[in-house]
Amino acid sequence: MAHTATVGGTRYVFADLKVLLAKATPHRAGDALANIAAADATERVAAQMALADLPLSHFLNETVIPFEDDEVTRLIIDTHDRAAFADVASLAVGEFRDWLLSDRVNADTLTRLAAGIIPEMAAATSKLMRLQDLIAVAAKCRVVTRFRNTIGLPGRLSTRLQPNHPTDDLHGIAASILDGLMLGSGDAVIGINPATDSMEKYIELTRFLDLIREQLDFPGQSCVLAHVTTALAAIERGAPVDLVFQSIAGSEAANRNFGIGLSLLREAHQAAVALGRGTLGRNVMYFETGQGSALSADAHHGVDQQTLEARAYAVARAFDPLLVNSVVGFIGPEYLYNGKEITRAGLEDHFCGKLLGLPMGVDVCYTNHAEADQDDMDGLLTLLGVAGCNYIMGVPGADDVMLSYQSSSFHDALYLRSILNKRPAPEFEAWLERMGLSDGNGTMLGSDHSLELPALMRPVLDVLG
């Protein structure tokens, strides 16, 4: 179905919904690379005008990837909750934007609405928003998840402690974990990206993390970020798996490129739940996403990268994850060229994920060949904190020596908690005080490097032998 708008006496025609969404997207490198971006700002405005007038209900009748060709499309349509959608079913996209920004919409309203919104609706709405709009609406969303602690409560900001090591050396990993715990990092998850996808290394790292947790009586969860099939095989061999990780995307073909499908994710979810390792909840999945992943696999179907990113959230939503992480700047400048594009993409991803009912985190990051620097990341970090991001990354020195990219540090999280008066997850906060790492008022005693280590060091040394 064609969509039209007239700007300055020129009539613009957009052949279908897929084209309309692409042309309405604020400029980014990936869409230009795919030759689907607006030719200029005037065409972009025309597309945004046509999109603003499009009824939300239209998205249930015209799909960007055909229903019969794509299992993600089928998941989106088949799981749509029409009762939850009823309150906004009469609105056009522009009216929906205005409604979301209105004072009568609060966290409870958005929680009830989430199952009624499909990804394309969320993506379309974000394309009409300024940064402050994305922040204002996301800040009203509340998504709380639980495994061994509680993530996403009001006034809280969690972190993933990311102790990666280029050779998976346990001593190097342990040093990073100690550094992070001293600075209040790790309540979202202690998560290692292994240097290899070896089954033996996966089991070794998983057991190592679990032993540290037991020795420290740590109220949190761990994850080794290997392929889902590795996690499944390790579970069969009795490994103490807390969270199952997988990178996911917004099309069946892109997920196939990752070596997964919905049936495999269901199997992994069931296996992890069956272990019963969570003490407070059964949210057992950890997903990572990133704008441009489908395009990089030539699996984008001509759909813009931001809409495809939102479609990945439909995949995540089907499995009640503990954590979803947009690794926003990691994929490189071919897809998000500079700090401006990374900043907008991070806020779009967070908004869309929260609106769809997901526990969103964002890896505030960039690669060294991108036109971005740490000042850009400081800006995005602060904006995401204001927007109510559930968690961010904690990487030693903000420099991941295994993955070779720049992220956020343990001190960045301390800054954000301090400036916005946020605290860690409550169970983790109580543990920090019990271990003598916090004064009970939110101040980390190790932040000035004056804290003595014995309470933490001895149990970790015992694990290392």
Side-chain angles (χ1 to χ4, degrees), residues 299-313:
H300 60 104
H301 299 272
V303 181
D304 70 273
Q305 65 184 41
Q306 192 253 331
T307 297
L308 281 170
E309 172 73 5
R311 282 169 55 95
Y313 303 154

Side-chain angles (χ1 to χ4, degrees), residues 320-374:
D320 298 319
L322 182 77
L323 307 166
V324 178
N325 180 34
S326 167
V327 193
V328 64
F330 182 74
I331 198 164
E334 299 85 356
Y335 306 96
L336 296 170
Y337 179 71
N338 55 21
K340 181 179 177 67
E341 291 189 11
I342 292 171
T343 296
R344 178 162 183 102
L347 293 170
E348 287 171 346
D349 295 351
H350 181 250
F351 161 81
C352 288
K354 281 290 186 65
L355 191 62
L356 292 165
L358 287 175
M360 288 301 296
V362 177
D363 190 344
V364 180
C365 64
Y366 64 100
T367 57
N368 288 312
H369 63 309
E371 290 294 320
D373 58 27
Q374 211 63 43

Side-chain angles (χ1 to χ4, degrees), residues 177-257:
I177 291 174
L178 287 170
D179 189 20
L181 292 176
M182 284 180 60
L183 295 172
S185 183
D187 50 338
V189 65
I190 299 178
I192 300 173
N193 297 89
T196 72
D197 210 20
S198 154
M199 170 64 66
E200 289 70 25
K201 180 57 69 173
Y202 179 93
I203 292 175
E204 179 188 22
L205 293 174
T206 299
R207 288 178 174 161
F208 176 67
L209 291 176
D210 198 51
L211 284 170
I212 287 180
R213 177 189 64 80
E214 289 180 341
Q215 288 289 329
L216 294 177
D217 191 24
F218 174 70
Q221 42 282 328
S222 65
C223 184
V224 178
L225 281 70
H227 193 269
V228 64
T229 53
T230 304
L232 270 170
I235 288 173
E236 292 175 358
R237 290 171 57 172
V241 175
D242 286 347
L243 305 184
V244 172
F245 166 81
Q246 184 55 49
S247 295
I248 56 174
S251 75
E252 179 180 349
N255 284 325
R256 192 182 308 121
N257 186 68

Side-chain angles (χ1 to χ4, degrees), residues 19-88:
V19 172
L20 178 64
L21 289 168
K23 300 294 187 183
T25 306
H27 184 270
R28 64 208 56 202
D31 292 339
L33 179 66
N35 294 315
I36 60 174
D40 52 35
T42 306
E43 185 182 29
R44 183 173 300 113
V45 168
Q48 290 172 340
M49 290 172 60
L51 188 60
D53 291 336
L54 192 67
L56 288 176
S57 57
H58 183 90
F59 292 88
L60 301 174
N61 301 313
E62 184 182 1
T63 61
V64 295
I65 304 176
F67 183 92
E68 60 274 14
D69 295 342
D70 186 87
E71 68 173 358
V72 177
T73 300
R74 293 192 290 275
L75 173 70
I76 290 168
I77 299 301
D78 291 345
T79 60
H80 179 244
D81 187 332
R82 289 186 176 271
F85 180 60
D87 286 346
V88 297

